[in-house]
Protein backbone atom coordinates (compact mmCIF):
# COMPACT_ATOMS: atom_id res chain seq x y z
CA UNK A 1 0.00 0.00 0.00
CA UNK A 2 1.34 3.43 -0.94
CA UNK A 3 1.99 5.83 1.90
CA UNK A 4 -0.01 8.55 0.11
CA UNK A 5 -3.17 7.62 -1.73
CA UNK A 6 -5.15 10.00 -3.90
CA UNK A 7 -8.62 9.61 -5.31
CA UNK A 8 -9.91 9.73 -7.89
CA UNK A 9 -7.06 9.05 -10.32
CA UNK A 10 -8.96 10.74 -13.11
CA UNK A 11 -11.83 13.19 -12.96
CA UNK A 12 -13.77 14.79 -15.79
CA UNK A 13 -16.38 17.42 -14.98
CA UNK A 14 -18.36 20.20 -16.61
CA UNK A 15 -17.44 23.83 -16.20
CA UNK A 16 -18.96 25.24 -13.04
CA UNK A 17 -19.05 22.00 -11.07
CA UNK A 18 -17.70 21.73 -7.53
CA UNK A 19 -14.62 19.51 -7.53
CA UNK A 20 -13.22 17.45 -4.65
CA UNK A 21 -9.94 15.56 -4.71
CA UNK A 22 -9.03 13.40 -1.73
CA UNK A 23 -5.71 12.43 -0.19
CA UNK A 24 -5.10 9.87 2.56
CA UNK A 25 -1.74 9.12 4.11
CA UNK A 26 -0.39 6.54 6.53
CA UNK A 27 2.77 8.17 7.93
CA UNK A 28 3.35 10.82 10.54
CA UNK A 29 3.71 14.15 8.83
CA UNK A 30 4.88 17.65 9.58
CA UNK A 31 3.01 19.17 6.63
CA UNK A 32 0.91 18.31 3.59
CA UNK A 33 1.25 20.00 0.22
CA UNK A 34 -1.19 20.33 -2.64
CA UNK A 35 0.50 21.01 -5.96
CA UNK A 36 -0.63 21.59 -9.51
CA UNK A 37 1.10 20.44 -12.66
CA UNK A 38 0.03 21.43 -16.16
CA UNK A 39 0.92 19.20 -19.15
CA UNK A 40 4.60 19.61 -19.95
CA UNK A 41 4.95 22.22 -17.26
CA UNK A 42 6.57 22.54 -13.92
CA UNK A 43 4.91 22.14 -10.56
CA UNK A 44 3.18 24.97 -8.76
CA UNK A 45 2.61 24.83 -5.03
CA UNK A 46 -1.01 25.55 -4.16
CA UNK A 47 -1.13 25.00 -0.40
CA UNK A 48 0.98 23.82 2.48
CA UNK A 49 -1.13 22.66 5.44
CA UNK A 50 -0.37 21.36 8.89
CA UNK A 51 -3.88 21.79 10.31
CA UNK A 52 -7.33 23.16 9.56
CA UNK A 53 -8.26 24.81 6.33
CA UNK A 54 -6.84 27.26 3.82
CA UNK A 55 -8.54 29.16 1.02
CA UNK A 56 -7.08 30.89 -2.00
CA UNK A 57 -9.50 32.20 -4.58
CA UNK A 58 -11.64 29.30 -5.77
CA UNK A 59 -9.40 26.72 -4.13
CA UNK A 60 -9.95 25.36 -0.63
CA UNK A 61 -7.78 22.80 1.13
CA UNK A 62 -8.62 21.03 4.37
CA UNK A 63 -6.76 18.57 6.51
CA UNK A 64 -7.83 16.26 9.34
CA UNK A 65 -4.69 15.19 11.18
CA UNK A 66 -6.50 12.58 13.32
CA UNK A 67 -7.99 10.89 10.29
CA UNK A 68 -4.85 11.43 8.15
CA UNK A 69 -6.91 12.83 5.35
CA UNK A 70 -6.93 15.98 3.26
CA UNK A 71 -9.20 17.31 0.55
CA UNK A 72 -8.72 19.88 -2.19
CA UNK A 73 -11.86 21.59 -3.41
CA UNK A 74 -12.35 23.76 -6.48
CA UNK A 75 -15.48 25.88 -6.62
CA UNK A 76 -16.97 27.09 -9.92
CA UNK A 77 -14.50 24.99 -11.89
CA UNK A 78 -13.16 26.33 -15.18
CA UNK A 79 -11.38 24.66 -18.13
CA UNK A 80 -8.16 26.40 -17.11
CA UNK A 81 -8.26 24.34 -13.89
CA UNK A 82 -7.51 21.26 -16.00
CA UNK A 83 -4.24 19.87 -14.69
CA UNK A 84 -2.79 17.13 -12.53
CA UNK A 85 -3.23 17.80 -8.83
CA UNK A 86 -0.71 16.16 -6.56
CA UNK A 87 -0.82 15.60 -2.82
CA UNK A 88 2.56 15.28 -1.10
CA UNK A 89 3.34 14.89 2.59
CA UNK A 90 6.50 15.85 4.44
CA UNK A 91 7.42 12.95 6.66
CA UNK A 92 8.25 13.78 10.27
CA UNK A 93 11.14 11.30 10.17
CA UNK A 94 13.11 12.78 7.27
CA UNK A 95 13.19 15.65 4.86
CA UNK A 96 11.55 13.94 1.95
CA UNK A 97 8.24 14.70 0.33
CA UNK A 98 6.22 11.54 -0.19
CA UNK A 99 4.09 11.97 -3.28
CA UNK A 100 0.68 10.75 -4.26
CA UNK A 101 0.20 9.53 -7.80
CA UNK A 102 -1.79 12.61 -8.76
CA UNK A 103 -5.33 13.24 -9.94
CA UNK A 104 -5.78 14.20 -13.57
CA UNK A 105 -8.59 16.74 -13.75
CA UNK A 106 -10.29 17.74 -16.99
CA UNK A 107 -12.91 20.47 -16.95
CA UNK A 108 -15.03 20.58 -20.09
CA UNK A 109 -16.55 23.88 -21.25
CA UNK B 1 11.48 36.67 -11.65
CA UNK B 2 12.63 35.58 -8.21
CA UNK B 3 11.33 32.00 -8.34
CA UNK B 4 13.28 28.80 -8.79
CA UNK B 5 14.86 28.65 -12.23
CA UNK B 6 16.21 25.64 -14.05
CA UNK B 7 18.42 25.50 -17.10
CA UNK B 8 18.07 24.21 -19.72
CA UNK B 9 14.33 23.70 -20.10
CA UNK B 10 14.84 20.96 -22.65
CA UNK B 11 17.83 18.76 -23.46
CA UNK B 12 18.14 16.11 -26.15
CA UNK B 13 21.26 14.01 -25.96
CA UNK B 14 22.64 10.87 -27.48
CA UNK B 15 22.96 7.77 -25.36
CA UNK B 16 26.33 7.64 -23.66
CA UNK B 17 26.81 11.40 -23.47
CA UNK B 18 27.09 13.34 -20.23
CA UNK B 19 24.60 16.06 -19.35
CA UNK B 20 24.51 18.69 -16.62
CA UNK B 21 21.50 20.61 -15.37
CA UNK B 22 21.48 23.72 -13.24
CA UNK B 23 19.04 24.90 -10.60
CA UNK B 24 19.00 28.38 -9.09
CA UNK B 25 16.83 28.36 -5.96
CA UNK B 26 15.09 31.29 -4.33
CA UNK B 27 17.95 33.22 -2.79
CA UNK B 28 17.12 32.94 0.90
CA UNK B 29 16.18 29.24 0.71
CA UNK B 30 18.64 26.96 2.46
CA UNK B 31 17.07 23.68 1.31
CA UNK B 32 17.26 22.38 -2.26
CA UNK B 33 15.74 19.20 -3.65
CA UNK B 34 16.05 17.31 -6.90
CA UNK B 35 13.24 15.08 -8.17
CA UNK B 36 12.76 13.01 -11.29
CA UNK B 37 9.39 12.50 -12.94
CA UNK B 38 8.69 10.07 -15.74
CA UNK B 39 5.62 10.32 -17.93
CA UNK B 40 2.42 9.55 -16.06
CA UNK B 41 4.14 9.09 -12.72
CA UNK B 42 4.53 11.24 -9.65
CA UNK B 43 7.92 12.80 -8.88
CA UNK B 44 10.58 10.60 -7.30
CA UNK B 45 13.00 12.02 -4.77
CA UNK B 46 16.63 12.04 -5.90
CA UNK B 47 18.63 14.11 -3.44
CA UNK B 48 18.46 16.92 -0.91
CA UNK B 49 20.84 19.68 0.19
CA UNK B 50 20.81 21.86 3.25
CA UNK B 51 23.05 24.75 2.34
CA UNK B 52 26.06 23.12 0.66
CA UNK B 53 25.74 19.76 2.44
CA UNK B 54 24.13 16.87 0.58
CA UNK B 55 22.17 15.29 3.43
CA UNK B 56 20.18 12.64 1.67
CA UNK B 57 20.49 10.69 -1.54
CA UNK B 58 17.97 8.25 -2.96
CA UNK B 59 19.04 4.75 -3.92
CA UNK B 60 17.53 5.69 -7.30
CA UNK B 61 20.61 7.85 -7.79
CA UNK B 62 23.06 5.47 -9.37
CA UNK B 63 26.79 6.07 -9.59
CA UNK B 64 26.19 7.84 -12.90
CA UNK B 65 24.34 10.64 -11.13
CA UNK B 66 26.03 13.31 -9.07
CA UNK B 67 24.74 16.53 -7.59
CA UNK B 68 26.57 19.45 -6.08
CA UNK B 69 25.71 22.70 -4.39
CA UNK B 70 29.18 24.17 -3.98
CA UNK B 71 28.41 27.47 -2.28
CA UNK B 72 25.00 26.68 -0.90
CA UNK B 73 23.33 28.64 -3.68
CA UNK B 74 22.84 27.09 -7.14
CA UNK B 75 23.01 23.34 -7.66
CA UNK B 76 24.03 21.14 -10.56
CA UNK B 77 22.87 17.63 -11.38
CA UNK B 78 25.13 15.66 -13.71
CA UNK B 79 24.28 12.41 -15.44
CA UNK B 80 27.19 10.53 -16.94
CA UNK B 81 26.89 7.98 -19.76
CA UNK B 82 23.20 8.68 -20.22
CA UNK B 83 20.82 5.82 -20.91
CA UNK B 84 17.39 5.90 -22.52
CA UNK B 85 15.84 5.17 -19.13
CA UNK B 86 17.17 8.50 -17.90
CA UNK B 87 14.65 10.31 -20.12
CA UNK B 88 12.44 12.20 -17.71
CA UNK B 89 11.58 15.60 -16.29
CA UNK B 90 14.12 16.66 -13.68
CA UNK B 91 12.58 18.99 -11.13
CA UNK B 92 14.31 21.22 -8.61
CA UNK B 93 12.65 22.73 -5.57
CA UNK B 94 13.80 24.95 -2.76
CA UNK B 95 12.50 25.95 0.65
CA UNK B 96 13.45 27.44 3.96
CA UNK B 97 13.60 25.00 6.85
CA UNK B 98 10.19 23.36 7.27
CA UNK B 99 8.77 25.85 4.80
CA UNK B 100 6.74 25.50 1.65
CA UNK B 101 8.61 24.03 -1.30
CA UNK B 102 8.76 26.09 -4.48
CA UNK B 103 9.41 24.30 -7.74
CA UNK B 104 11.19 25.22 -10.92
CA UNK B 105 9.74 24.55 -14.35
CA UNK B 106 11.90 21.47 -14.74
CA UNK B 107 14.40 20.25 -17.30
CA UNK B 108 13.02 17.72 -19.75
CA UNK B 109 15.71 15.26 -20.79
CA UNK B 110 15.33 13.07 -23.86
CA UNK B 111 18.00 10.46 -24.48
CA UNK B 112 18.00 9.15 -28.05
Amino acid sequence: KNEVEQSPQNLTAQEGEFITINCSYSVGISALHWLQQHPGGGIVSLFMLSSGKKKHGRLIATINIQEKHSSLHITASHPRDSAVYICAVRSRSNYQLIWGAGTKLIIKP
Amino acid sequence: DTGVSQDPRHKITKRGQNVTFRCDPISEHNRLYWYRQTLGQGPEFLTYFQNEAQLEKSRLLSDRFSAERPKGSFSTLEIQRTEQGDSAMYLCASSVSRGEAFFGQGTRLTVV
Side-chain angles (χ1 to χ4, degrees), chain A residues 30 33 35 37 40-43 45 48 86 90 94-97 99, chain B residues 31 33 35 37 43 45 48 56 89 91 98-101 103-105:
Chain A
S30 56
H33 299 253
L35 308 117
Q37 186 171 35
I43 293 177
S45 179
M48 185 178 79
I86 305 172
R90 186 175 304 283
N94 58 40
Y95 304 108
Q96 291 187 31
L97 282 176
W99 300 79
Chain B
R31 293 186 176 180
Y33 311 81
Y35 296 88
Q37 185 177 26
F45 171 79
Y48 155 73
E56 198 164 348
M89 175 77 87
L91 295 162
R98 300 191 180 280
E100 187 171 357
F103 287 81
Q105 288 294 305

Side-chain angles (χ1 to χ4, degrees), chain B residues 37-100:
Chain B
Q37 185 177 26
T38 52
L39 201 61
Q41 303 295 317
E44 300 170 295
F45 171 79
L46 293 179
T47 191
Y48 155 73
F49 290 86
Q50 178 145 320
N51 300 312
E52 65 276 9
Q54 187 175 19
L55 295 187
E56 198 164 348
K57 188 174 172 180
S58 166
R59 62 182 180 275
L60 293 173
L61 223 62
S62 75
D63 291 344
R64 297 184 297 105
F65 287 71
S66 61
E68 294 183 340
R69 194 183 183 197
K71 296 181 180 178
S73 56
F74 74 91
S75 175
T76 57
L77 177 68
E78 182 183 14
I79 308 174
Q80 295 181 325
R81 304 181 303 281
T82 51
E83 300 172 357
Q84 285 189 319
D86 298 331
S87 296
M89 175 77 87
Y90 290 83
L91 295 162
C92 174
S94 71
S95 74
V96 297
S97 297
R98 300 191 180 280
E100 187 171 357

Side-chain angles (χ1 to χ4, degrees), chain A residues 80-105:
Chain A
R80 64 174 175 268
D81 297 326
S82 299
V84 175
Y85 292 83
I86 305 172
C87 169
V89 301
R90 186 175 304 283
S91 168
R92 273 206 299 262
S93 60
N94 58 40
Y95 304 108
Q96 291 187 31
L97 282 176
I98 305 170
W99 300 79
T103 295
K104 184 175 182 180
L105 175 66

Side-chain angles (χ1 to χ4, degrees), chain A:
Chain A
K1 189 177 190 300
N2 293 332
E3 292 169 306
V4 180
E5 297 272 1
Q6 279 187 243
S7 63
Q9 287 187 326
N10 296 281
L11 178 57
T12 300
Q14 290 296 129
E15 182 174 357
E17 286 189 37
F18 181 80
I19 302 299
T20 296
I21 300 171
N22 295 301
C23 176
S24 297
Y25 54 91
S26 58
V27 296
I29 69 168
S30 56
L32 181 144
H33 299 253
W34 281 104
L35 308 117
Q36 180 192 57
Q37 186 171 35
H38 285 273
I43 293 177
V44 174
S45 179
L46 299 175
F47 296 103
M48 185 178 79
L49 295 163
S50 54
S51 65
K53 177 179 174 178
K54 285 190 177 180
K55 184 176 189 293
H56 181 70
R58 295 180 295 104
L59 301 178
I60 303 166
T62 64
I63 187 168
N64 185 317
I65 297 295
Q66 287 73 32
E67 294 185 4
K68 296 188 173 181
H69 181 269
S70 175
S71 293
L72 176 69
H73 305 284
I74 305 174
T75 61
S77 59
H78 190 276
R80 64 174 175 268
D81 297 326
S82 299
V84 175
Y85 292 83
I86 305 172
C87 169
V89 301
R90 186 175 304 283
S91 168
R92 273 206 299 262
S93 60
N94 58 40
Y95 304 108
Q96 291 187 31
L97 282 176
I98 305 170
W99 300 79
T103 295
K104 184 175 182 180
L105 175 66
I106 298 172
I107 304 296
K108 293 185 175 181

